[in-house]
């Protein structure tokens, strides 16, 4: 296992060396210095020599502070070492330099999660929505984060945006019902699921959610009716 791991690192370093040796033919001395130190930093990082890697990335930043990659790599190293505040500082700088880089935003989401900065985390999900409006995960994560914060109006606003882009989405429908359930508006929560159930009468998730809501309203007969429908659709599921 160790031999295989060592070979992978060696191959990675070799490829980087070949890549950079070709690239250096058409670059100026400043860019060449940046690439050389970035290569050294990547080598040290691959060997888990993080202090040496950090020093090399710092040289890269001093050489070209407008390049985001070294900031991002430093953010990842600090994050992996558990230094979340330092990771956040570098990740924010990387994102400022390249605001549409989704990998920088993903790292910020992880950092904010570790720091319990959930509202900032939700905002990053919203930033990702602006980058890719068709990605349902971004909407769901943003809405779920706002629900966690009990910012239900913001959660509904996100869901309403998502409905225009990805209508009739099962996850969004259930999430919207969940919001009204948490607002203690069980009638509205049931109305949302009933409407979806009429369009997809065999959807087990809608039926399950509907039975749960009827139980919360103490409408046990209706809950049992739904339960029997589920049994007919899934006879082997007790």
């Amino acid at each position: 296992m160790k031999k295989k791991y060592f070979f992978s690192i060696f191959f990675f370093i070799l490829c980087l060396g070949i890549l950079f040796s070709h690239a250096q033919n058409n670059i100026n001395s400043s860019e060449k210095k940046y690439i050389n130190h970035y290569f050294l930093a990547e080598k040290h990082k691959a060997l888990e020599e993080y202090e040496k890697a950090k020093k090399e990335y710092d040289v890269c930043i001093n050489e070209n502070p407008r390049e985001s990659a070294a900031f991002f790599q430093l953010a990842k190293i600090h994050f992996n070492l558990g230094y979340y505040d330092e990771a956040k500082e570098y990740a924010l700088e990387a994102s400022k330099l390249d605001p549409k880089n989704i990998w920088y935003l993903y790292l910020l989401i992880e950092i904010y999660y570790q720091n319990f900065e959930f509202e900032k985390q939700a905002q990053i999900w919203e930033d990702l929505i602006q980058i890719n409006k068709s990605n349902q995960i971004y909407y769901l994560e943003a809405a779920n984060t706002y629900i966690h914060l009990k910012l239900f109006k913001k959660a509904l606003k996100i869901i309403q945006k998502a409905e225009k882009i990805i209508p009739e989405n099962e996850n969004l429908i259930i999430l919207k019902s969940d919001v009204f359930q948490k607002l203690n508006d069980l009638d509205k929560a049931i109305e949302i699921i009933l409407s979806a159930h009429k369009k997809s009468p065999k959807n087990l998730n809608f039926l399950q959610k509907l039975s749960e809501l009827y139980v919360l309203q103490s409408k046990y007969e209706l809950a049992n009716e739904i339960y029997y429908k589920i049994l007919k659709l899934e006879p082997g599921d007790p």
Side-chain angles (χ1 to χ4, degrees):
M1 185 70 179
K2 286 184 178 179
K3 187 176 180 181
K4 184 178 179 182
Y5 177 67
F6 176 79
F7 178 78
S8 298
I9 292 174
F10 175 78
F11 182 73
F12 168 74
I13 292 170
L14 180 64
C15 289
L16 277 178
I18 294 170
L19 176 66
F20 288 145
S21 66
H22 283 292
Q24 287 179 6
N25 293 326
N26 299 310
I27 61 176
N28 61 41
S29 59
S30 177
E31 291 171 331
K32 185 180 290 187
K33 182 178 179 181
Y34 183 98
I35 289 174
N36 285 337
H37 285 282
Y38 195 91
F39 167 71
L40 286 172
E42 289 292 293
K43 182 185 75 172
H44 289 309
K45 187 181 71 173
L47 295 169
E48 298 183 359
E49 298 170 346
Y50 297 123
E51 291 305 317
K52 290 180 180 180
K54 286 194 287 183
K55 287 178 182 178
E56 297 298 338
Y57 287 129
D58 282 335
V59 173
C60 294
I61 289 171
N62 289 331
E63 194 64 31
N64 187 357
R66 294 185 298 277
E67 171 57 52
S68 63
F71 287 103
F72 177 59
Q73 295 301 333
L74 281 167
K76 287 202 297 182
I77 287 174
H78 283 93
F79 180 81
N80 290 333
L81 293 173
Y83 303 135
Y84 302 127
D85 289 336
E86 291 86 348
K88 180 171 69 173
E89 182 181 341
Y90 285 114
L92 284 170
E93 190 61 38
S95 187
K96 189 189 302 181
L97 292 165
D98 189 359
K100 291 188 177 180
N101 189 310
I102 61 172
W103 300 107
Y104 298 176
L105 297 175
Y106 289 161
L107 180 57
L108 274 171
I109 284 170
E110 291 187 62
I111 292 167
Y112 287 138
Y113 178 81
Q114 294 296 334
N115 280 348
F116 304 101
E117 297 178 88
F118 299 119
E119 197 158 359
K120 289 182 180 179
Q121 186 185 35
Q123 183 56 58
I124 298 296
W125 285 118
E126 290 205 57
D127 292 342
L128 285 164
I129 288 169
Q130 294 306 310
I131 294 171
N132 183 356
K133 290 184 170 64
S134 63
N135 191 319
Q136 67 164 299
I137 292 173
Y138 297 161
Y139 294 98
L140 291 169
E141 291 292 346
N144 272 313
T145 305
Y146 282 131
I147 290 170
H148 173 75
L149 291 165
K150 298 183 179 180
L151 298 172
F152 300 120
K153 287 184 179 180
K154 286 190 174 184
L156 282 173
K157 188 177 178 181
I158 293 294
I159 293 169
Q160 287 163 0
K161 282 183 182 179
E163 287 174 332
K164 296 176 183 178
I165 306 296
I166 38 177
E168 309 301 327
N169 180 275
E170 176 186 319
N171 293 320
L172 285 171
I173 290 167
I174 291 174
L175 192 61
K176 188 175 184 179
S177 177
D178 286 342
V179 173
F180 283 102
Q181 179 182 334
K182 290 180 182 296
L183 288 168
N184 293 317
D185 189 346
L186 292 178
D187 288 335
K188 182 65 177 177
I190 289 171
E191 178 188 323
I192 291 166
I193 299 299
L194 274 175
S195 176
H197 170 60
K198 287 177 183 177
K199 296 174 184 177
S200 302
K202 293 184 179 181
N203 186 303
L204 292 172
N205 290 323
F206 292 154
L207 288 168
Q208 182 65 38
K209 182 65 181 176
L210 196 55
S211 66
E212 291 172 5
L213 290 167
Y214 281 141
V215 168
L216 289 174
Q217 279 195 328
S218 299
K219 296 180 178 179
Y220 301 115
E221 289 186 8
L222 288 173
N224 281 332
E225 286 179 20
I226 298 299
Y227 182 68
Y228 288 130
K229 286 183 181 180
I230 293 172
L231 285 179
K232 287 181 181 179
L233 292 169
E234 290 286 325
D237 190 9

